[in-house]
Amino acid sequence: GDAVIPAAPPAAPAALAAPAAPAAPPKYKTVTRQEKVDVDTTMYLGLSPEALAQATDKEFDLQLGDRVVQDTFAARNSLEEYVYRVRSALSAGGELVDFEVEDVKVDMIKKLGETEDWLYGDGEDAGKSVYVSHLEDLRKIGDPIEMRAREYEGAPVSLAKLAKRAHMSLKEATTTDKAFDHITQEDRDSVSFAADKATKMVESHKAAHAASSKTQPPVVLVADIEAEYAALDSLTRRVMLKPKPAPPPPPPAPPKGPAGGKAGA
């Protein structure tokens, strides 16, 4: 019989057809245009000059303020320390109690107490110059007292040192040790004379010191004694430590005669 040919499948609906390809984006042409522009350039490394000047002034003001505070604090402490120290020294049992008459001591102790009250009252926030002025006023009274004590107690120590130096200088000037044979008698006599002078000074100053009053200006000054010691010590060292002169050179050797013979032959 005749073959049966299947019919073709029906066409797909339009809604199910493949989507159309998107349209290509429009193409634009890039155009580069150059224009000359004048530019003024100022470069700052850090702050601008105006800001730097302001910062510098501010820093200076801060440092100056700190310095003023520190100096004022130091001046106040110095005044406070002086009040406590000198009042204790002038009170019974203190190291300065014997070096001023009673009425001056009483008046000074009163001034020191008034200054202490002022420090913790109206003077608590005073300026540096005010503290310095108060200290200077107190020292006009206190310094002479301290000086008398210092000189009176220091004189015996310095006199003992000078006496020892005079004894040693005289001993060195009269030594018979062969190591000092090169020292001339004239130089030795200069040391002996200076040592004798120092010894007499020690004796006279000891007597004057023993008879002096602790509340009067000192009759013996430590500086004078120390100056005498330095002069004697320097002279003794300069003379007695003088090096020995170099030995004379050996005599020249006699000339030799001609070869094979004797001189003068």
Side-chain angles (χ1 to χ4, degrees), residues 100-108:
E100 189 52 270
V101 295
E102 190 65 24
D103 57 340
V104 176
K105 284 190 296 184
V106 171
D107 184 63
M108 182 59 168

Side-chain angles (χ1 to χ4, degrees), residues 126-147:
K128 173 187 173 182
S129 61
V130 180
Y131 294 133
V132 171
S133 178
H134 274 69
L135 180 58
E136 288 175 347
D137 289 342
L138 291 174
R139 292 188 64 172
K140 289 176 183 177
I141 304 172
D143 281 2
I145 303 174
E146 293 189 278
M147 185 273 289

Side-chain angles (χ1 to χ4, degrees), residues 9-265:
L16 297 179
K27 294 183 178 180
Y28 297 97
K29 183 179 180 180
T30 302
V31 178
T32 302
R33 184 172 60 185
Q34 296 182 350
E35 294 184 2
K36 184 179 180 181
V37 179
D38 295 329
V39 178
D40 292 333
T41 302
T42 303
M43 297 181 65
Y44 297 112
L45 300 177
L47 300 175
S48 68
E50 294 80 6
L52 181 60
Q54 292 177 357
T56 301
D57 290 343
K58 184 176 181 180
E59 178 67 18
F60 177 78
D61 291 341
L62 290 174
Q63 291 180 357
L64 182 61
D66 290 343
R67 180 64 181 270
V68 169
V69 170
Q70 292 173 2
D71 289 351
T72 301
F73 183 75
R76 188 182 192 280
N77 278 353
S78 294
L79 177 58
E80 186 177 41
E81 184 274 335
Y82 185 87
V83 167
Y84 293 149
R85 180 177 63 81
V86 175
R87 182 171 57 188
S88 175
L90 288 174
S91 300
E95 60 268 26
L96 298 178
V97 70
D98 294 330
F99 293 94
E100 189 52 270
V101 295
E102 190 65 24
D103 57 340
V104 176
K105 284 190 296 184
V106 171
D107 184 63
M108 182 59 168
I109 291 174
K110 179 182 177 182
K111 290 180 183 296
L112 293 168
E114 291 171 348
T115 302
E116 181 185 17
D117 294 340
W118 174 81
L119 274 172
Y120 296 106
D122 296 338
E124 189 169 5
D125 296 318
K128 173 187 173 182
S129 61
V130 180
Y131 294 133
V132 171
S133 178
H134 274 69
L135 180 58
E136 288 175 347
D137 289 342
L138 291 174
R139 292 188 64 172
K140 289 176 183 177
I141 304 172
D143 281 2
I145 303 174
E146 293 189 278
M147 185 273 289
R148 287 195 293 272
R150 187 168 54 248
E151 293 291 335
Y152 191 90
E153 294 171 353
V157 177
S158 294
L159 287 171
K161 186 173 72 170
L162 178 58
K164 183 177 180 180
R165 174 71 269 188
H167 174 74
M168 292 303 299
S169 293
L170 184 60
K171 184 177 179 180
E172 292 177 40
T174 56
T175 182
T176 57
D177 192 318
K178 296 293 185 181
F180 298 93
D181 282 350
H182 62 288
I183 307 298
T184 66
Q185 189 60 46
E186 182 180 1
D187 283 343
R188 291 169 179 262
D189 289 345
S190 68
V191 174
S192 297
F193 177 82
D196 183 62
K197 175 174 172 286
T199 300
K200 291 178 179 178
M201 179 182 181
V202 170
E203 294 171 353
S204 63
H205 278 32
K206 277 185 176 181
H209 181 267
S212 65
S213 169
K214 294 181 179 181
T215 60
Q216 296 298 316
V219 295
V220 177
L221 296 177
V222 171
D224 294 341
I225 305 170
E226 292 295 334
E228 186 71 18
Y229 174 91
L232 177 58
D233 183 69
S234 176
L235 174 64
T236 305
R237 291 176 181 274
R238 186 171 67 252
V239 170
M240 302 308 298
L241 297 181
K242 186 182 299 184
K244 285 187 175 183
K256 294 183 179 181
K262 295 183 179 180

